[in-house]
Amino acid sequence: PDCKIVRILSNPNGSVARLVNEVEGNTSSGSTGSNEMVLSKHVPVEVRIYEKSGAGMEWHSDDILFDPAQVEVVLTVENSSDCVTMWEDVIKGSDTAKRVEVETCENSAILIKAGGARHRVAPLRNGRRVILKFVFIKDGATFIVGAEKHINQFAASRTKKRGKKK
């Protein structure tokens, strides 16, 4: 969709695209090339609002939808909550993982490589947390066979919500 937020996030010279490309080791951000990370046109930008007691997300790893794997970005827009985001940082050369937790502040971003670190959002007890979640992929990345079902879940959830309003 052509909306202001999508245009901002997909701008190759914008701070989000530059951040993702720098983290991924691409130093030529701003000029589209085969290594450039770009906002996926297939995965919609999601707004998630955590404001009900108990709202959170259990431990999981993000499904790999593209080849090469996508980078999922969580941009905190507002956070007056007591939620913490946690992930497991595998210690190199071992089977052990160290758990890391952070209270995300407004205008902060967490980048997670799909298929990588297990992570969760602890259940909310107080306050409100609003995030944007979106996906960056290597320019020219292809869907992995069967990944369409994950993309199609977004369209299905929008249809269900519209149906409930009638």
Side-chain angles (χ1 to χ4, degrees):
D2 185 30
C3 71
K4 189 173 183 177
I5 289 176
V6 171
R7 284 193 304 273
I8 290 168
L9 295 175
S10 62
N11 179 350
N13 295 310
S15 56
V16 174
R18 288 192 345 253
L19 172 67
V20 172
N21 277 287
E22 186 172 318
V23 168
E24 285 296 299
N26 301 327
T27 55
S28 64
S29 183
S31 60
T32 314
S34 61
N35 268 347
E36 190 78 13
M37 298 292 290
V38 296
L39 183 70
S40 172
K41 294 177 181 169
H42 303 289
V43 180
V45 175
E46 291 180 69
V47 176
R48 291 188 184 171
I49 301 172
Y50 297 80
E51 58 188 352
K52 290 184 179 177
S53 182
M57 187 169 287
E58 289 304 315
W59 285 104
H60 68 284
S61 290
D62 294 326
D63 293 325
I64 298 173
L65 306 176
F66 296 90
D67 183 17
Q70 74 274 11
V71 172
E72 310 239 346
V73 182
V74 176
L75 180 66
T76 302
V77 176
E78 174 188 329
N79 194 0
S80 63
S81 77
D82 57 356
C83 285
V84 294
T85 301
M86 301 178 211
W87 64 89
E88 295 178 336
D89 196 7
V90 177
I91 299 168
K92 235 178 192 163
S94 76
D95 293 335
T96 313
K98 178 178 96 173
R99 287 205 171 152
V100 179
E101 68 178 54
V102 64
E103 288 184 27
T104 57
C105 57
E106 292 178 8
N107 299 317
S108 65
I110 294 178
L111 281 64
I112 301 170
K113 185 80 145 193
R118 281 178 13 105
H119 54 282
R120 76 182 287 241
V121 177
L124 177 134
R125 292 181 306 235
N126 299 301
R128 173 180 154 105
R129 178 175 181 249
V130 180
I131 64 163
L132 293 179
K133 183 173 183 274
F134 46 94
V135 169
F136 270 74
I137 60 173
K138 290 250 186 220
D139 192 24
T142 56
F143 275 121
I144 290 179
V145 174
E148 296 84 8
K149 68 181 177 191
H150 297 284
I151 302 299
N152 293 337
Q153 76 182 344
F154 300 108
S157 67
R158 274 183 275 180
T159 303
K160 287 178 189 173
K161 287 179 185 174
R162 284 188 192 133
K164 286 181 184 176
K165 289 182 181 178
K166 288 185 178 178

